[in-house]
Amino acid sequence: MDGDPNFRLKAFAVLTCVLGVFLVVFVAQRAWFWMKSKRREDVETSTLAPIIDFSLLGMGCIVIWLAIEALVLAVITAELPTEPETRRKIAEIEIGKLDEQTDQLNLLFYPVDPAGRRLAEQRRPVLTSGNHFELQVETLQWRWAWDWLGEGGFYQFISLAGYGTRTASTPQRTELEMRDVPRTVGATLFLRAPQRWEVRQKCKEGEIYDIYLDPAQKALVVELHSNER
């Protein structure tokens, strides 16, 4: 359970699906028995209650649908990192070549693990322009009624762009493998509307910047890396 932030969501999907199937089968069994026994005098015929039975049938279908939506959401968000409860480092951006004559800017983007170490296999080079970088991050949070299903919300990196005097109106933006989270009725029932946070920082060639996600301030924070590699 500790290793899977979606454990409770998956368990909810399974248990809810079992409950929904039980309700549908219960009504189907009552209807089947009534059809088989209504013309037999030697068997006591059960009495259908249309309002109750149709209500249970509709409730069962809704519960099954809810379970499917929860399972789909669990699969899609399985690879998304969990939003920290307190301020935590989530990425590093290393400034490569910065040529003010050609307005060229080379960036190296590194996500980090919960301990703040670079995930070298996920390194992403970004070729852009300007003398600033702009990072966008999207956060996904549970609605208050469903907080117990997860261990906090989720976040994902949206884009990294260069920004500067010449590119102020049209920054060159690079997508950072954003995952499409469904905005179906079911997903909207579980999750609030996504929020996008962005941070912009003037940079110098050779510097490394740490990116922090601070849920308390609802902001991204940039700090110059203390031990430049």
Side-chain angles (χ1 to χ4, degrees):
M1 179 174 174
D2 292 338
D4 186 356
N6 282 335
F7 176 84
R8 288 192 289 270
L9 180 59
K10 294 175 183 177
F12 171 80
V14 172
L15 295 177
T16 303
C17 186
V18 171
L19 175 61
V21 171
F22 170 77
L23 292 174
V24 171
V25 171
F26 175 75
V27 175
Q29 181 269 338
R30 277 173 51 83
W32 178 83
F33 184 77
W34 175 77
M35 292 177 63
K36 290 292 185 180
S37 62
K38 65 180 181 178
R39 295 181 180 178
R40 294 182 55 176
E41 297 180 355
D42 59 329
V43 177
E44 184 178 354
T45 303
S46 61
T47 302
L48 292 180
I51 295 179
I52 297 177
D53 289 334
F54 277 110
S55 296
L56 291 176
L57 181 62
M59 185 181 301
C61 293
I62 292 174
V63 169
I64 292 175
W65 164 78
L66 191 64
I68 294 174
E69 290 284 355
L71 186 59
V72 170
L73 192 61
V75 172
I76 291 177
T77 59
E79 297 182 4
L80 296 181
T82 303
E83 182 182 5
E85 296 181 1
T86 59
R87 171 178 150 135
R88 194 184 75 193
K89 179 178 172 182
I90 61 172
E92 288 185 9
I93 298 176
E94 184 173 344
I95 312 303
K97 182 179 179 181
L98 193 159
D99 192 334
E100 296 182 357
Q101 298 298 324
T102 60
D103 203 35
Q104 184 178 8
L105 175 62
N106 297 345
L107 305 171
L108 284 178
F109 175 79
Y110 292 91
V112 300
D113 61 18
R117 297 184 296 263
R118 287 183 177 183
L119 299 174
E121 68 278 6
Q122 297 183 27
R123 182 182 73 168
R124 182 71 181 272
V126 174
L127 305 178
T128 182
S129 61
N131 57 1
H132 293 65
F133 66 78
E134 182 184 76
L135 177 67
Q136 287 190 348
V137 174
E138 182 178 82
T139 59
L140 298 163
Q141 296 179 333
W142 297 100
R143 294 191 182 276
W144 67 269
W146 303 103
D147 278 343
W148 57 276
L149 286 178
E151 298 179 7
F154 308 93
Y155 71 90
Q156 61 177 339
F157 301 104
I158 303 300
S159 65
L160 181 60
Y163 213 96
T165 304
R166 302 182 190 179
T167 58
S169 58
T170 56
Q172 298 180 8
R173 199 171 300 282
T174 299
E175 301 295 328
L176 296 175
E177 300 182 1
M178 170 185 173
R179 292 179 64 88
D180 291 328
V181 179
R183 298 311 301 171
T184 60
V185 175
T188 303
L189 178 66
F190 289 109
L191 296 175
R192 301 174 188 172
Q195 292 184 331
R196 288 202 178 185
W197 304 356
E198 66 179 40
V199 66
R200 189 180 302 170
Q201 174 68 40
K202 186 174 182 179
C203 51
K204 295 181 180 180
E205 184 174 335
E207 291 183 336
I208 301 174
Y209 293 91
D210 296 332
I211 310 298
Y212 292 86
L213 183 61
D214 190 342
Q217 298 182 11
K218 295 187 178 298
L220 294 176
V221 179
V222 180
E223 292 185 359
L224 187 63
H225 192 65
S226 57
N227 296 315
E228 297 185 14
R229 298 176 179 84

